[in-house]
Amino acid sequence: MKAKNLVFLFFTTLLIGAFSGVLTGLVLDWSTYWGDLKQGDIVSFLMVILWLFGVSSIFSLISQMGFFAYLTIHRFGLGIFKSVKLWNGVQIILIIFALFDLVYLRYTGFAEPDESWLNYFWIALLLLIIGLAVAYKKQKETNKQAFIPTLFFIVVVTILEWIPALRGNDFKWLWLIFFPLLTSNIWQILVLHRLAGRKA
């Protein structure tokens, strides 16, 4: 990949992640920010926007580090297992474990007495559905071998990057971190083959 394409990928990912975080933050606490605007406190509103942009940019950068780490791991995996099918099988197992842990560990760590585990299941289901949709699009634009690696990246790598928020279990922080990570990851995986100039 050319240097200018790497620069393009870096800045577009940064901006996409940052703006998605700003939108998420505004939606999660809109009543407060709308109150500032109605009172004419535009400076406070702009400061909040700037803060959300900065925080979201941090997680966009984490997403980029995770992306290039995964590209390296993917190559190692192909080299170690000497077979795309075998490496894909390993990735499927890891996807299942990651989704199971996302539900089980959060349930055992945060569930109230008599609270159903289903309250913790829907987040994993949402991530899986998004991952399947992105993997399908990637496959359509490249080749069928891209489906499992894309699903692995969207599900497993996003969960790993999301761990700081998952440990805290604060509703606002869960989503304020999740959306910048997810949008950044989706953008990177879907634009990679276009920038690389090949179907891979």
Side-chain angles (χ1 to χ4, degrees):
M1 189 186 300
K2 296 180 180 179
K4 67 177 183 180
N5 289 340
L6 286 173
V7 173
F8 173 82
L9 180 62
F10 173 80
F11 282 107
T12 55
T13 303
L14 184 68
L15 291 173
I16 287 170
F19 279 115
S20 69
V22 170
L23 291 175
T24 303
L26 291 176
V27 169
L28 289 174
D29 209 1
W30 177 247
S31 59
T32 300
Y33 306 138
W34 178 243
D36 289 341
L37 282 177
K38 286 197 298 184
Q39 294 173 12
D41 195 352
I42 297 176
V43 174
S44 294
F45 181 76
L46 293 176
M47 290 299 292
V48 167
I49 296 293
L50 183 62
W51 181 83
L52 289 171
F53 187 90
V55 170
S56 302
S57 296
I58 292 171
F59 291 101
S60 178
L61 291 173
I62 291 173
S63 165
Q64 295 189 54
M65 289 188 288
F67 180 62
F68 285 102
Y70 173 68
L71 292 179
T72 303
I73 292 169
H74 182 62
R75 290 300 168 190
F76 276 124
L78 290 172
I80 292 171
F81 292 101
K82 307 295 184 182
S83 166
V84 173
K85 289 184 177 180
L86 184 56
W87 173 228
N88 282 347
V90 171
Q91 290 182 96
I92 290 171
I93 292 171
L94 293 174
I95 290 168
I96 294 169
F97 270 109
L99 290 170
F100 174 80
D101 286 346
L102 180 60
V103 177
Y104 179 75
L105 294 179
R106 293 189 69 243
Y107 174 70
T108 57
F110 302 112
E112 299 292 334
D114 300 323
E115 185 178 5
S116 172
W117 63 273
L118 291 173
N119 293 336
Y120 298 86
F121 174 75
W122 67 271
I123 290 181
L125 180 62
L126 173 65
L127 184 57
L128 176 61
I129 291 171
I130 294 171
L132 289 170
V134 174
Y136 177 76
K137 181 172 177 59
K138 179 75 172 182
Q139 174 185 278
K140 294 288 286 185
E141 293 183 0
T142 57
N143 54 66
K144 62 181 181 180
Q145 285 78 25
F147 186 89
I148 298 301
T150 301
L151 182 61
F152 180 91
F153 175 68
I154 294 298
V155 172
V156 177
V157 176
T158 299
I159 290 173
L160 291 174
E161 295 166 345
W162 201 15
I163 286 176
L166 294 173
R167 285 179 174 172
N169 199 43
D170 180 271
F171 179 82
K172 288 183 181 179
W173 277 105
L174 273 176
W175 299 113
L176 189 58
I177 293 174
F178 176 73
F179 283 108
L181 290 174
L182 184 64
T183 54
S184 296
N185 285 342
I186 291 172
W187 168 252
Q188 289 175 105
I189 201 70
L190 290 182
V191 80
L192 177 64
H193 58 277
R194 297 186 179 94
L195 295 179
R198 59 188 176 87
K199 289 195 171 186

